[in-house]
Amino acid sequence: MPWTNYHSHSHFCDGVAPPEDHILAAIEKGFLAFGCSSHAYVPFEQSWSIKEERLPEYAPEILRLKEKYADQIEVYLSLEVDYIPGMIGPNETKKEFGLDYTVGSVHFADRWENGMPWGIDGTREEFTSGIEKLFDQSPQKAVSRYYEVIRQMLEEDCPDILGHMDKVKMHNSKGGIFEETEKWYREAVMATLETAGSTDVIIELNTRGIYKKKSFEPYPSRWILEEIYKMGIPLMINSDSHHPREIDENFSDCAKILREIGFRELRILLDGEWQDRAFNERGFLK
């Protein structure tokens, strides 16, 4: 049975292979739809987002592929847009490039003294250095700030999809930084879910942390997924793929977890409309 994936990266950013290769892999697996969502351009030096000189190529290429494969799969034009207050956000980017939808993510939670953003998903050393120098050696302050920025995005510049909402835990897989059972952490997450529930945002279950061995659980963790279910917030499964072979990595295992929790439908974009579709461990039901 078929799946969908709306969070993917090609050679336009830090992914491998051109978008067409990813789409062909999705067709081979019988996908209903596939979204191309390269990292949007950011106006400072880093290694993973689309470069400014390649921006004019991106949308025309995805639209070409959308037309070329229209009788085999639905292809959607998107970008994963970083939310950096005062610098970049999902909605302006969506308008500028005529996107079908946006994946809004927070990778940067504060700034260094030189004005450069401090990222939460670089190396563990970079992460702990930021905690030490920007947050008075307090993981609580740093992680709370991360969730505060997510809430600000949801309130002021809400995307269609909230990307890997608890990715801040990626350097915590070996422990020693914070515990998800701590009261302050649970409160920060719950406040973020309450904000999400007041919007139309779709939260993604992102499988990349598992198959890249950055996390023992998906983004977000099972206990957060249980709260999402209780609150009735729409959910989808994405792989955050960077290679054609990753487009449905760990989908079946995570779908099983979702069904154990109680989920029976996931939100997908099909026929140009957001809709809820029944699923099981093997994919979406007809």
Side-chain angles (χ1 to χ4, degrees), residues 118-177:
W118 169 65
I120 60 95
D121 71 341
T123 66
R124 183 181 170 97
E125 290 70 28
E126 290 168 339
F127 182 66
T128 56
S129 177
I131 291 174
E132 178 184 349
K133 297 174 182 177
L134 297 175
F135 296 96
D136 302 321
Q137 303 183 49
S138 171
Q140 178 177 344
K141 290 181 181 178
V143 175
S144 295
R145 173 60 182 161
Y146 168 80
Y147 283 111
E148 180 183 338
V149 176
I150 291 180
R151 292 194 296 273
Q152 184 177 349
M153 173 177 70
L154 293 173
E155 291 169 347
E156 300 179 3
D157 202 347
C158 192
D160 296 290
I161 300 167
L162 174 56
H164 43 59
M165 71 163 282
D166 66 345
K167 195 175 187 183
V168 73
K169 75 184 181 190
M170 66 177 284
H171 296 300
N172 207 45
S173 60
K174 297 179 181 179
I177 300 178

Side-chain angles (χ1 to χ4, degrees), residues 104-107 120-121 127 143 146-147 150 162-173 178 180 185 188-190 192-193 203-210 214-225 228:
S105 299
V106 172
H107 296 97
I120 60 95
D121 71 341
F127 182 66
V143 175
Y146 168 80
Y147 283 111
I150 291 180
L162 174 56
H164 43 59
M165 71 163 282
D166 66 345
K167 195 175 187 183
V168 73
K169 75 184 181 190
M170 66 177 284
H171 296 300
N172 207 45
S173 60
F178 66 91
E180 290 192 48
Y185 184 80
V189 169
M190 291 305 298
T192 305
L193 292 182
I203 296 179
E204 70 168 11
L205 183 159
N206 183 309
T207 65
R208 186 167 179 79
I210 300 175
K214 298 286 188 181
S215 173
F216 298 114
E217 293 190 276
Y219 306 124
S221 297
R222 178 167 178 147
W223 75 268
I224 302 176
L225 293 169
I228 290 169

Side-chain angles (χ1 to χ4, degrees), residues 222 225-226 229 256-264:
R222 178 167 178 147
L225 293 169
E226 291 171 351
Y229 175 71
K256 183 178 180 180
I257 291 170
L258 292 179
R259 288 184 61 83
E260 288 173 356
I261 291 170
F263 288 93
R264 291 296 179 267

Side-chain angles (χ1 to χ4, degrees), residues 101 160-161 202 236 267-270 272-276:
Y101 66 91
D160 296 290
I161 300 167
I202 304 160
M236 62 168 43
R267 188 149 299 178
I268 61 175
L269 181 60
L270 207 60
E273 296 183 355
W274 295 109
Q275 51 189 276
D276 294 322

